[in-house]
Amino acid sequence: MKLSMPRYDQAPVLVVGDVMLDRYWHGGTSRISPEAPVPVVKVEQIEDRPGGAANVALNIAALGAPAVLVGVTGEDEAADSLTDSLGAAGVRASFQRIATQPTIVKLRVMSRHQQLLRMDFEEPFNTDAAALAVDVERLLDGVKVLVLSDYGKGALKNHQALVQLARAKGIPVLADPKGKDFSIYRGASLITPNLNEFETIVGHCADEAELVAKGAKLMAELELGALLVTRGEHGMTLLRPEHAPLHLPARAREVFDVTGAGDTVISTLAASIAAGEELPQAVALANLAAGIVVGKLGTAAISAPELRRAVQREQGSERGVLGLEQLQVAIEDARAHGEKIVFTNGCFDILHAGHVTYLEQARAQGDRLVLAVNDDGSVSRLKGPGRPINSVDRRMAVLAGLGAVDWVVSFSEDTPENLLRALKPDVLVKGGDYGIDQVVGAEIVRAYGGEVRVLGLVENSSTTAIVEKIRNK
């Protein structure tokens, strides 16, 4: 399946659901309490993170998508902390504040990255469902997807009213369901239960065939557009009426903490669908995102650069031979990680020691080296009949194997000027006894603030000399 990074900046999403504050007390433990056989934690750091529906909105914003959040809180310090954190992340939050009830807080006591204790401060909210629906209807006109983030804490009491409001406007509804009654999500475009939640509704599934059969029956009963069952270490299964099941393996390299993984899944799904991705591609992106977030401690969001890098790994574009569009994505990601892009070009017909030395010197000018290679037609025009000796695909394959080279791209023109305009490298490098003003493309790079550097000529190394030597023998 071909994946690409969506335009999340054009994908506004509205999240409605149970908002909570995840609070962490961090500290060291060096002794056991004399009062009871429990460790004593000397609290050294207090950290607040948005949780529940607020974490879903935060994940959407972290991907670069406009996020709007509707939820219910108390009139207290925890609600203020949530408002500040979400506002700083660019989430537009609209809270129904109830003065007589506390904001839901989940407090975790941590020591050396281990959770020692969790304490929940919560009461089911007495939500004004009609007022919440008014807020949602007002905000729907500015979004492309509605997410119902249901933790069963009382913020959502009118699921069907919200589903119908969105459907009337042609807006897809995604629901992360809870409880033993999924009929409240009837008509949703997609629901995303984990395997335990799914089996609570349909019964135990002995194998994938039974899961698929029971899932199809549930979709028909509830008039669902699709069903995504998240299955932990077994990945995900996407079911759609009249489509073959799509089973995706888990992508986690190392599982550190599964807290909030479901939030990451539905947020990436929602933002990707809002950005115009087809459902299978959106699910694949969500699967990659989940694999990243379970490697983090506690409730966490993944950023667009993190997901972009995972997409590149999936598509094999971390290094090697790339097309222009792939290369532009790779460079964008590298820049997001603060890396300096170096560019050089040439024919590289017969690779020799001089080339290798030069490319190592070029790579030392920054963090990533782009090597642009003349295609066969341009080499022939520049070097004359009988050249190139090696076709462009073979030349690029050899060059891509060098440790100094990150990405190899070909160009058909006699100069790389169009590539320079498209890629805008930070440094343009050329070897030989050129003056800087003689380097092709120098004026283009210097015009946008880039650097041009000329490296020394490697003596006694020449493709032309090698060719002549072979011919003479």
Side-chain angles (χ1 to χ4, degrees):
M1 181 187 301
K2 182 173 175 59
L3 295 181
S4 60
M5 194 67 177
R7 286 294 305 271
Y8 287 126
D9 60 328
Q10 299 176 6
V13 178
L14 171 60
V15 180
V16 184
D18 295 298
V19 171
M20 55 194 75
L21 180 69
D22 286 330
R23 178 161 284 168
Y24 296 83
W25 288 358
H26 298 271
T29 56
S30 59
R31 63 192 179 94
I32 302 298
S33 170
E35 303 163 2
V38 295
V40 175
V41 179
K42 184 179 183 297
V43 177
E44 297 165 339
Q45 179 187 0
I46 297 176
E47 180 184 12
D48 287 350
R49 301 182 189 178
N55 185 43
V56 175
L58 187 67
N59 270 267
I60 291 167
L63 290 172
V68 185
L69 173 64
V70 173
V72 184
T73 68
E75 188 69 68
D76 51 23
E77 171 269 337
D80 293 338
S81 178
L82 275 171
T83 300
D84 292 344
S85 297
L86 292 165
V91 177
R92 185 155 57 99
S94 176
F95 292 151
Q96 185 181 127
R97 292 197 175 206
I98 301 176
T100 57
Q101 292 183 264
T103 299
I104 296 172
V105 176
K106 297 187 180 297
L107 172 61
R108 298 167 176 89
V109 181
M110 312 289 296
S111 182
R112 297 173 185 172
H113 303 298
Q114 295 294 319
Q115 185 177 148
L116 302 182
L117 179 68
R118 177 173 133 177
M119 294 175 283
D120 291 358
F121 304 86
E122 65 177 75
E123 298 174 19
F125 277 108
N126 185 24
T127 305
D128 184 338
L132 187 138
V134 169
D135 282 347
V136 171
E137 185 172 20
R138 173 176 55 85
L139 295 167
L140 277 174
D141 287 336
V143 301
K144 294 182 179 179
V145 171
L146 170 65
V147 174
L148 302 182
S149 180
D150 193 356
Y151 278 79
K153 307 300 182 184
L156 290 170
K157 292 188 173 180
N158 52 349
H159 302 71
Q160 272 303 292
L162 302 182
V163 170
Q164 296 308 319
L165 281 173
R167 288 187 63 173
K169 295 177 179 290
I171 295 174
V173 181
L174 278 58
D176 188 0
K178 288 293 182 292
K180 298 181 179 180
D181 180 14
F182 279 11
S183 66
I184 57 179
Y185 309 108
R186 182 182 301 277
S189 307
L190 173 71
I191 64 173
T192 61
N194 61 37
L195 183 60
N196 181 61
E197 292 163 342
F198 177 71
E199 291 186 330
T200 297
I201 301 298
V202 304
H204 175 68
C205 298
D207 52 31
E208 286 189 349
E210 189 173 1
L211 183 150
V212 170
K214 289 183 174 180
K217 182 179 179 183
L218 183 65
M219 286 190 293
E221 289 175 354
L222 301 183
E223 302 170 14
L224 301 174
L227 170 68
L228 178 66
V229 182
T230 57
R231 304 167 60 193
E233 69 274 17
H234 299 295
M236 302 178 177
T237 296
L238 174 65
L239 303 177
R240 294 172 291 165
E242 300 180 2
H243 286 80
L246 176 63
H247 301 289
L248 294 175
R251 291 298 190 191
R253 296 183 175 183
E254 181 180 3
V255 177
F256 193 72
D257 190 342
V258 298
T259 304
D263 296 340
T264 298
V265 169
I266 198 166
S267 61
T268 308
L269 270 173
S272 299
I273 292 170
E277 292 294 311
E278 295 296 326
L279 188 53
Q281 283 74 19
V283 169
L285 289 166
N287 193 36
L288 289 177
I292 298 169
V293 82
V294 297
K296 299 185 177 188
L297 176 64
T299 307
I302 73 159
S303 65
E306 287 176 299
L307 182 57
R308 186 183 296 112
R309 187 151 285 188
V311 170
Q312 289 175 0
R313 282 197 299 267
E314 190 76 4
Q315 300 304 112
S317 59
E318 270 194 307
R319 287 175 56 91
V321 178
L322 303 183
L324 177 57
E325 290 186 3
Q326 285 179 303
L327 181 54
Q328 286 174 311
V329 170
I331 288 176
E332 183 181 352
D333 173 72
R335 285 204 170 103
H337 285 81
E339 295 174 340
K340 180 184 285 189
I341 310 301
V342 182
F343 180 103
T344 193
N345 63 280
C347 299
F348 299 93
D349 194 0
I350 296 178
L351 192 65
H352 53 67
H355 288 143
V356 175
T357 301
Y358 166 69
L359 292 173
E360 288 174 346
Q361 293 174 350
R363 178 66 163 73
Q365 309 304 308
D367 302 298
R368 295 279 192 163
L369 177 61
V370 177
L371 178 51
V373 180
N374 295 74
D375 74 358
D376 295 346
S378 63
V379 173
S380 182
R381 290 192 297 273
L382 292 170
K383 302 292 185 180
R387 300 285 298 275
I389 303 298
N390 292 298
S391 63
V392 67
D393 58 332
R394 293 187 176 187
R395 286 182 280 134
M396 290 198 299
V398 171
L399 291 164
L402 297 178
V405 177
D406 290 285
W407 302 300
V408 184
V409 65
S410 67
F411 63 98
S412 59
E413 302 88 354
D414 291 346
T415 74
E417 291 180 336
N418 288 336
L419 272 180
L420 290 170
R421 292 187 182 97
L423 301 177
K424 291 185 170 58
D426 301 295
V427 184
L428 169 62
V429 172
K430 196 67 179 173
D433 53 357
Y434 295 92
I436 286 181
D437 292 334
Q438 295 174 298
V439 175
V440 174
E443 69 285 355
I444 297 172
V445 174
R446 294 166 75 178
Y448 61 72
E451 299 178 66
V452 180
R453 299 175 186 172
V454 176
L455 304 183
L457 182 67
V458 180
E459 299 293 339
N460 301 317
S461 294
S462 165
T463 298
T464 301
I466 292 172
V467 171
E468 287 301 318
K469 185 175 182 179
I470 293 171
R471 285 174 175 168
N472 290 335
K473 284 190 176 182

